[in-house]
């Protein structure tokens, strides 16, 4: 490796354009050597530099009275009162999971956990948002099995409950699945740590696993489109070791109780390089690093390999001078490797030495702040118009509506995800008040009366048909889901999964989605405090649906205010909030896709002002203990939401009889499955009806009484009717059946 | 017909399990084990078939199911 | 009265056991690091669940070598109450304090879910206030909870009344459908001959408060505490 | 010095993994595998020592840690 002469061709192989290479030569005033080229190439990769996305990400509203840490750190932090805060982030591990589903997903979980505990927070819950290809694609069941067991394998072992997520199937993910992992931790205000290499003369300490040749080029792989050749990149997959991560977690949290730590950061993509350069860049310092001191698993590793390795379960700590022994002792107790490998310097230069010989010397700002930023051309594609055309009157009406309804309930997108979450330990740490299966998971914060609600959401069909509206709706759905749990949304993390940004239509999708998310977040006063961008999600030129997943975090001041989405008791009354929204909206709907095999039209409209009042109302009603349940209407409209509220009840499914909120002139199939937004199905005991109606009018919210809980059928006026037990069975078995996981 | 399949981790792939075992052995005072890599070993009973057919079957089985060739190597032996 | 909650590298239900004993039952609990060689001064021992040593090699196999396990053996020999939960049960099996072994679930999948247990004997310190036949709703969360022992061992433990819990359906019937992992005889928990050492796959520490979905697990800890109190007198 | 350890499930012990592999193979259309039993295979690198010492060390390691004789059998080979 040492002997490789750097030429423009070598730079190109490293994913650098001719312009970028010229820029490196200009800043250095010479040709870089291979080690330096390696540094630039990973740091300037899309994954690390955000070069195509940065200018757009600035549009997010990131401030708010509760925000203690916005984007730019390892994770965002939001105040929840009483000197406590929640720290959270969502991140993608798409490409590695497609190549090796178990290890890819597992190391994705490992990475996001480190992002959270590196800030001093103890992780208390994780979510996972998964998108796979068609269930009948030959590779899909294999990928589903692998990804789910990888998430389980890592999360269960480290002892952080996985409490929710999404699973979505569509042909557009056949060759490029999405695996987005989210973790939330709890931290005391006075124990927040950041990734700063401050304090000249302070030691830089490496802790965790030894370094091997794992995942070299991982960062560039995550930023390159898949092609036939990616097979060759296989041996670079990283293997996760959740056991070591558990030790690392405990050791770091123990260390953080001392005052030895100046700054700390995990080694994620581009390992040692990105962690050290980013820490120095934030602090405006430089460093000297002796690469030979790095604990190594393999022999004869070159500086290039040591700097670019993506071995897992490693962290960098900048300790206070003179305190290094205390740090080393704690890691020794936990059987982890730890070594002083360098020192903070004042001059803004990174000097890397191997056995006393300088092997690279580069200005830190040149690599970080001065990384290229692109304002890539963005243009709405011409085909978007065709896509948005949908003539509903030409849609054949199904002969048996109840049958279509049952088919939707058992399709893998709607069906019970228990096959998935039963493999996740969702109750460890005994905080899980609402387990997977409701609109959001709710976790108590021990030692307080508080709880947090978390949900991850995105409807990729909506985003495909209109990325701006789709982005808004993702935020609205997240807010509604946490509100339906009795919480107030207080912050959000996003994971933006898109195709190749060098194509103007992808850039248009990307920009529009961000604008949509921003607009909704502003209107709902939900700050974006962290996130992640994953571009180049395509296979052989075919992009995925734009998929900006958002993870919404809500706060309950009193955990006993929490709500669930299922009906509780026979005789309870059923109401629809927002039921005056009666224009048929079937663009991008589940009904259109599953029953008519089409993805077309325009997505439902977003009414942000209404959503805001809706969320405020549910929270108010929850804290007055007026409601027995609340469930937002999403895919499949009223019919599917109603059936879910009936059959997800843990004490056993129960029926309900409701009226049709649409005017009679509306076609019955449209009334059942129209996906108008801003609607929530709530139930309450008969004694609370008057108070509920009054509260709704105070909040100027439209509420209509629809019917009553009870019986053994789910009935919508005289339009359609399902047998509870049969529906429950179809819904329970749908997922495994679609994927061929049945016995 | 009997066969044996060996599945081992590819060179350079982290073996956390082997690492943990090796460390425990030395905690037990059993020094002298420098490295240990853990793989799988399978004993297979095959139906009546020719040797070439058995070879093809085993190779297929390993490639498509038994070994994860992204991180593992495999080999097999047919008895007799 | 003081209860030891052992902590091995990779234990992860230690905090839950501690919380249940200390905060829910208001008894004294203390973490004990696996390198401790003594359990002097403790009146009960909890070996919590988790993934000690990452479950590498076999569940519980590496943890049995920790110094504290010698102390656990002495504590058990002297009649002190010991409960191993999930991975703690696996450690007790590996160290030979309980008979048999654990293999991977029949489904080859990790299972996290509530199950129903039938209490088979009230002879242990942990079930003394739970009458035989009582049904308990308690969660399981494991990948290797498929209890195995050879025929002779099974005959012996059945004969001695060492089977403490079995998986059953809501009506208390032991059926194959109610068995989540394939365990022989639907065995969910066993004790040693003396009865003072209990190993069980389900997690009583996860259900000591009603908001966790069930508070049935609390009864095991209450039993243990009352046993300790009585024996101290 | 190199050695190899084989750990196999004892007769009569259920092997859900082996059964699942066998079932999957036949789902994949690969017929002819009558039974498959999954065990462990370890490649060990030993420090400098005599052969008898190595034998003793490996036997000790297997008995005390590497195999659980309630359900497993073990054997080993020393190279050379
Ligand atoms: N991958 C997953 N992991 C854990 N839980 C999941 C997963 N996918 C779905 N769930 C759970 O299943 C329930 C239904 O999911 P979904 O239909 O996406 O909810 P919603 O439409 O309310 O957002 C939720 O409680 C969700 O958290
Ligand atoms: Mg919802």
């Amino acid at each position: 490796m040492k002997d490789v002469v750097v030429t423009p061709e070598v730079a190109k192989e490293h994913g650098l354009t001719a312009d970028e290479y010229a820029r490196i030569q200009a800043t250095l005033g010479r040709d870089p050597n291979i080690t330096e080229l390696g540094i630039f190439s990973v740091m300037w990769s899309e994954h690390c530099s955000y070069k195509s996305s940065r200018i757009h990400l600035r549009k997010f509203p990131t401030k708010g009275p509760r925000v203690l840490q916005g984007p730019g750190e390892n994770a965002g932090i939001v105040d929840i009162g009483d000197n406590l805060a929640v720290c959270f982030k969502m991140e993608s591990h798409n490409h590695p999971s497609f190549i090796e589903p178990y290890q890819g997903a597992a190391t994705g979980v490992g990475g996001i956990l480190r992002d959270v505990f590196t800030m001093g927070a103890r992780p208390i819950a994780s979510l996972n948002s998964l998108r796979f290809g068609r269930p009948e694609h030959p590779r899909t069941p294999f990928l589903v099995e692998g990804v789910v067991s990888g998430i389980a394998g890592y999360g269960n072992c480290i002892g952080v409950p996985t409490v929710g997520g999404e699973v979505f199937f569509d042909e557009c993910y056949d060759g490029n699945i999405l695996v987005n992992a989210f973790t939330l931790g709890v931290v005391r205000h006075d124990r927040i740590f950041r990734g700063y290499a401050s304090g000249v003369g302070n030691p830089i300490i490496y802790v965790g696993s030894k370094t091997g040749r794992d995942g070299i080029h991982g960062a560039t792989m995550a930023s390159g489109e898949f092609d036939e050749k990616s097979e060759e990149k296989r041996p670079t997959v990283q293997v996760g070791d959740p056991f070591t991560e558990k030790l690392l977690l405990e050791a770091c949290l123990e260390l953080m109780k001392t005052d030895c730590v100046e700054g700390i950061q995990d080694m994620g993509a581009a390992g040692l390089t990105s962690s050290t350069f980013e820490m120095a860049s934030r602090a405006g310092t430089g460093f000297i690093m002796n690469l030979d001191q790095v604990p190594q698993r393999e022999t004869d590793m070159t500086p290039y390999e040591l700097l670019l390795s993506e071995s897992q379960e490693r962290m960098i700590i900048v300790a206070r001078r003179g305190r290094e022994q205390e740090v080393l002792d704690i890691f020794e107790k936990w059987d982890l490797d730890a070594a002083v490998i360098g020192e903070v310097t004042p001059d803004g230069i990174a000097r890397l030495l191997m056995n006393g010989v300088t092997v690279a010397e580069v200005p830190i700002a040149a690599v970080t702040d001065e990384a290229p930023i692109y304002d890539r051309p963005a243009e709405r594609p011409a085909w978007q118009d065709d896509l948005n055309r949908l003539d509903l009157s030409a849609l054949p009406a199904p002969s048996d509506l109840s049958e279509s309804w049952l088919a939707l309930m058992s399709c893998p997108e709607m069906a019970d995800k228990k096959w998935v979450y039963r493999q996740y330990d969702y109750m460890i740490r005994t905080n899980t008040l609402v387990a997977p299966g409701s609109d959001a998971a709710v976790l108590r914060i021990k030692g307080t009366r508080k709880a947090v609600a978390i949900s991850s959401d995105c409807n990729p069909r909506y985003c495909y048909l209109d990325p701006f509206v789709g982005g808004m709706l993702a935020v609205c759905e997240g807010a509604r889901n946490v509100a339906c749990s009795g919480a107030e949304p207080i912050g959000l993390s996003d994971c933006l999964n898109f195709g190749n940004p060098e194509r103007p239509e992808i850039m248009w999708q990307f920009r529009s989605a961000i604008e949509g998310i921003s607009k909704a977040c502003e209107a709902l006063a939900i700050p974006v405090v962290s996130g992640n961008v994953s571009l180049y999600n395509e296979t052989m030129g075919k992009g995925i649906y734009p998929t900006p997943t958002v993870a919404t975090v809500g706060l309950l001041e009193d955990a006993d205010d929490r709500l669930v989405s299922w009906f509780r008791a026979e005789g309870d009354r059923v109401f629809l909030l927002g039921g005056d929204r009666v224009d048929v909206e079937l663009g991008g709907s589940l009904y259109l896709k599953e029953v008519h095999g089409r993805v077309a039209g325009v997505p439902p409209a977003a009414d942000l002002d209404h959503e805001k009042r809706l969320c405020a109302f549910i929270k108010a009603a929850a804290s007055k203990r007026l409601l027995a349940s609340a469930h937002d209407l999403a895919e499949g409209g009223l019919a599917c939401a109603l059936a879910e509220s009936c059959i997800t009840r843990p004490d056993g499914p129960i029926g309900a009889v409701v009226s049709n909120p649409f005017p009679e002139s509306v076609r019955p199939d449209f009334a059942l499955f129209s996906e108008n937004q801003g609607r929530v199905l709530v139930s309450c005991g008969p004694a609370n009806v008057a108070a509920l109606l009054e509260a709704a009018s105070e909040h100027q919210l439209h509420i209509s009484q629809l019917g009553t809980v009870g019986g053994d059928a789910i009935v919508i006026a005289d339009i359609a009717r399902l047998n509870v037990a049969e529906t429950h069975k179809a819904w329970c078995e749908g997922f495994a059946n679609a994927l061929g996981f049945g016995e | 017909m009997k066969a044996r399949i060996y599945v081992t981790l590819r060179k350079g792939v982290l073996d956390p399990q082997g690492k943990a075992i090796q460390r425990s052995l030395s905690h037990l005072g059993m020094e002298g084990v420098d490295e240990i890599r853990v793989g799988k070993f399978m004993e297979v009973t095959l139906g009546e078939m020719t040797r070439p057919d058995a070879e093809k079957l085993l190779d297929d089985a390993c490639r498509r199911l038994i070994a994860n060739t992204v991180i593992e190597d495999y080999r097999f032996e047919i008895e007799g | 009265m003081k209860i030891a909650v052992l902590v091995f590298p990779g234990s992860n239900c230690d905090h839950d056991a501690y919380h249940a004993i200390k905060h829910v039952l208001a008894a004294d609990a203390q973490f004990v690091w696996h390198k401790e060689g003594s359990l002097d001064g403790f009146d009960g021992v909890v070996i919590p669940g988790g993934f000690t040593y990452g479950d590498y090699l076999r569940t519980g196999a590496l943890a049995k070598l920790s110094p504290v396990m010698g102390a656990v053996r002495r504590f058990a020999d002297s009649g002190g109450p010991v409960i191993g939960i999930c991975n703690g049960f696996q450690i007790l099996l590996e160290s030979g304090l309980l008979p048999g072994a654990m293999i991977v679930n029949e489904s080859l999948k990790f299972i996290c879910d509530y199950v129903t247990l039938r209490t088979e004997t009230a002879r242990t310190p942990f079930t003394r206030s739970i009458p035989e036949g009582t049904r308990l709703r308690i969660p399981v969360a494991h990948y290797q909870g498929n209890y195995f022992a050879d025929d002779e061992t099974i005959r012996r433990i059945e004969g001695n009344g060492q089977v403490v819990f079995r998986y059953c359906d809501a009506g208390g019937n032991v059926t194959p459908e109610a068995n989540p992992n394939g365990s022989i005889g639907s065995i969910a928990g066993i004790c040693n001959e003396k009865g003072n050492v209990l190993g069980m796959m389900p997690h009583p520490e996860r259900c000591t408060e009603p908001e966790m979905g069930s508070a049935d697990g609390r009864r095991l800890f209450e039993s243990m505490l009352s046993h300790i109190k009585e024996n101290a007198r």
Side-chain angles (χ1 to χ4, degrees), chain A residues 440-510:
Chain A
V442 180
L443 295 119
R444 67 177 172 186
I445 309 289
K446 285 204 191 97
T448 73
R449 294 206 54 80
K450 297 173 202 291
V452 290
I454 49 181
S455 172
S456 79
D457 299 276
C458 174
N459 183 324
R461 284 189 298 269
Y462 294 169
C463 296
Y464 175 53
L465 299 177
D466 187 332
F468 176 74
V469 175
M472 284 199 287
L473 293 181
V475 175
C476 293
E477 184 176 357
R480 242 183 283 129
N481 278 333
V482 303
C484 285
S485 307
E488 175 191 353
I490 56 167
L492 171 154
S493 184
D494 63 83
C495 192
L496 308 175
N497 308 275
F498 287 79
N500 180 349
E502 293 159 42
R503 289 178 21 211
E505 74 257 33
I506 303 286
M507 226 35 230
W508 170 78
Q509 293 175 335
F510 184 73

Side-chain angles (χ1 to χ4, degrees), chain A residues 438-440 455 457 477 481 631-634 644:
Chain A
S438 194
D439 279 359
S455 172
D457 299 276
E477 184 176 357
N481 278 333
H631 184 29
D632 90 302
L633 272 55
E644 281 183 321

